[in-house]
């Protein structure tokens, strides 16, 4: 039943939002693209749904239009049945719709306050110079990885085993003998695809050496199979850095606006929550700036011509997430 409510909530919210974009009473015949009983589906609703799918060329858009319109027709049929069954009056559905409405309003407000700010040429160059490991000194690593869930005392025993040179196969045999579960894999990763602490350890390994990363309940062993330089020059890196810095600025603007709104608001926690005081709102967390775009087709083609692995903005964002 809960899944049913969620489905109907999504359908009703989607129709309500789409209706806002094309709710004129007087529609010309060309604006109506389908009818379900006496309810019209307009080109505005269709275009709204298509826009949410991202950029497409003419051929893709034409094909997508057919699929999206069929989906809107099916959605309208279900909505009509839901309204006939008075689901729109069901307390849980009403509550879910109100929750979605409030969330959408909060997210839209934050999104419009944090407008995109294009970074300057100076900022892009500075960022490029600050992180040579991702650009001028960028390398692509071939790695053999082994991850095991281990208690602190087991990690101590493993450290003793590692004091003498071992192959990954020998280490795996030792883990089996101790009834320790593990997973192994080989991977090829560029520098920007690794978290900073991981890259810091990996970049110091020589071919054939094994390094480890530890936490309270797990160990990752990494053997360097080899690496090769694949530098990215400033021109190649510029689009990715621009998107990365633009998203950072949007986040800063959103945080600043949230603090301003908080300073103007009177908040009182009551009852069992009276000791919370004025905490940072979760609204900012629910309305993050759009993720950085992935590497464009033109950037991929340029990378292929040079024989380099393309620089993905998404990977770069993850790799730089721990750096300031």
């Amino acid at each position: 039943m809960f899944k049913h409510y969620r489905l109907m909530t999504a359908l009703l919210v989607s129709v309500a939002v789409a209706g806002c974009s094309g709710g004129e009473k007087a529609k010309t015949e060309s604006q109506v693209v389908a009818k379900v009983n006496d309810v019209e589906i307009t080109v505005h609703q269709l275009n709204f749904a298509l826009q949410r799918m991202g950029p497409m060329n003419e051929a893709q858009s034409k094909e997508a239009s057919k699929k999206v319109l069929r989906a809107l027709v099916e959605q309208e049929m279900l909505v009509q049945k839901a309204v006939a069954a008075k689901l729109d009056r069901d307390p849980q559905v009403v509550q879910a719709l109100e929750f979605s409405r409030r969330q959408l309003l909060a997210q839209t407000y934050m999104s419009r306050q944090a407008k995109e700010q294009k970074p300057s040429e100076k900022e892009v160059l500075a960022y490029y110079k600050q992180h040579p490991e991702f650009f001028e000194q960028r390398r692509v690593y071939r790695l053999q990885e082994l991850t095991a869930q281990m208690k602190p005392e087991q990690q101590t025993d493993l450290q003793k085993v590692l004091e003498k040179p071992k192959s990954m196969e020998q280490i795996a045999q030792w883990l089996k003998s101790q009834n320790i579960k593990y997973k192994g894999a080989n991977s090829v990763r560029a520098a920007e695809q690794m978290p900073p602490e991981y890259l810091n350890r990996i970049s110091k390994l020589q071919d054939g050496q094994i390094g480890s990363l530890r936490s309270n309940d797990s160990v990752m062993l990494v053997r360097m199979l080899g690496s090769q330089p694949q530098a990215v020059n400033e021109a190649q890196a510029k689009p990715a850095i621009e998107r990365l810095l633009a998203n950072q600025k949007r986040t800063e603007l959103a945080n600043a606006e949230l603090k301003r709104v908080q300073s103007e608001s009177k908040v009182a926690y009551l009852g069992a929550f009276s000791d919370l005081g004025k905490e940072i709102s979760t609204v900012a967390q629910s309305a993050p700036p759009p993720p950085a775009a992935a590497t464009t087709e033109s950037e991929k083609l340029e990378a292929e011509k040079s024989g380099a692995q393309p620089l993905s903005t998404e990977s770069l964002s993850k790799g730089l997430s721990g750096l300031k």
Side-chain angles (χ1 to χ4, degrees):
M1 182 62 70
F2 179 70
K3 290 182 179 179
H4 180 70
Y5 285 133
R6 289 184 62 187
L7 172 62
M8 298 317 303
T9 297
L11 290 172
L12 292 171
V13 169
S14 179
V15 168
V17 173
C20 291
S21 66
E24 301 91 345
K25 292 182 179 179
K27 305 184 190 73
T28 65
E29 192 66 27
S30 62
Q31 289 179 314
V32 179
V33 292
K35 285 186 178 181
V36 180
N37 297 320
D38 294 328
V39 178
E40 298 174 336
I41 296 176
T42 70
V43 69
H44 302 292
Q45 291 169 283
L46 177 60
N47 289 339
F48 180 85
L50 287 170
Q51 289 170 6
R52 296 170 67 87
M53 297 176 67
M56 290 181 285
N57 60 38
E58 186 176 350
Q60 291 172 330
S61 180
K62 186 175 181 180
E63 185 62 29
S65 295
K66 298 176 183 178
K67 295 180 180 179
V68 170
L69 182 55
R70 289 194 190 99
L72 288 175
V73 167
E74 292 173 358
Q75 182 188 71
E76 179 58 37
M77 290 189 293
L78 291 173
V79 169
Q80 290 182 23
K81 289 295 184 182
V83 173
K86 298 183 179 180
L87 288 180
D88 56 330
R89 302 180 190 179
D90 185 283
Q92 285 185 284
V93 174
V94 172
Q95 188 176 31
L97 286 171
E98 176 60 16
F99 178 85
S100 297
R101 186 186 74 86
R102 292 169 61 83
Q103 186 177 44
L104 177 62
L105 286 172
Q107 290 177 341
T108 302
Y109 176 81
M110 291 296 286
S111 177
R112 293 185 179 181
Q113 294 302 309
K115 296 180 180 178
E116 185 171 349
Q117 303 285 322
K118 186 175 181 179
S120 67
E121 295 284 340
K122 185 177 180 180
E123 289 174 315
V124 172
L125 178 59
Y127 209 91
Y128 179 84
K129 293 297 184 184
Q130 287 169 4
H131 301 292
E133 69 275 23
F134 295 110
F135 306 115
E136 292 178 299
Q137 299 172 15
R138 178 177 183 255
R139 300 186 70 84
V140 175
Y141 301 89
R142 292 187 297 108
L143 308 168
Q144 185 179 12
E145 300 170 327
L146 189 155
T147 305
Q149 299 297 315
M150 303 181 69
K151 298 176 181 178
E153 58 270 24
Q154 292 175 317
Q155 294 187 30
T156 301
D157 293 338
L158 175 62
Q159 185 59 43
K160 294 178 181 178
V161 172
L162 294 176
E163 288 177 357
K164 295 181 179 180
K166 294 285 190 302
S167 67
M168 291 292 264
E169 290 73 19
Q170 289 174 317
I171 296 172
Q173 288 297 325
W174 181 84
L175 291 172
K176 285 182 180 179
S177 70
Q178 302 298 311
N179 294 318
I180 298 173
K181 294 183 178 180
Y182 67 90
K183 293 182 179 180
N186 289 355
S187 65
V188 178
R189 299 190 197 180
E192 72 276 3
Q193 295 174 318
M194 306 179 191
E197 66 279 5
Y198 184 87
L199 176 61
N200 184 51
R201 294 296 301 274
I202 298 306
S203 61
K204 297 175 182 177
L205 295 178
Q206 300 296 318
D207 289 0
Q209 281 190 320
I210 296 176
S212 64
L213 290 93
R214 304 167 185 269
S215 66
N216 291 333
D217 59 359
S218 68
V219 172
M220 174 182 275
L221 299 174
V222 183
R223 180 171 178 261
M224 176 66 72
L225 298 177
S227 67
Q228 65 182 92
Q230 282 195 2
V232 176
N233 62 39
E234 185 185 345
Q236 292 171 320
K238 183 179 178 181
I241 297 176
E242 283 181 335
R243 289 190 290 266
L244 182 68
L245 293 180
N247 282 339
Q248 287 182 350
K249 287 191 175 187
R250 283 173 62 88
T251 300
E252 291 170 2
L253 287 172
N255 289 337
E257 177 62 17
L258 180 58
K259 288 181 180 179
R260 187 188 70 79
V261 171
Q262 286 176 330
S263 68
E264 296 176 354
S265 304
K266 293 182 180 179
V267 179
Y269 291 94
L270 307 175
F273 303 99
S274 59
D275 61 338
L276 284 180
K278 192 168 184 178
E279 301 289 345
I280 297 296
S281 171
T282 58
V283 173
Q285 298 176 15
S286 66
T295 307
T296 64
E297 288 300 318
S298 61
E299 289 167 22
K300 289 180 180 178
L301 288 173
E302 284 299 318
E304 288 173 2
K305 289 178 183 178
S306 63
Q309 182 171 326
L311 178 69
S312 164
T313 310
E314 183 179 0
S315 296
L316 181 60
S317 299
K318 294 176 180 178
L320 298 177
S321 61
L323 300 176
K324 300 295 181 183

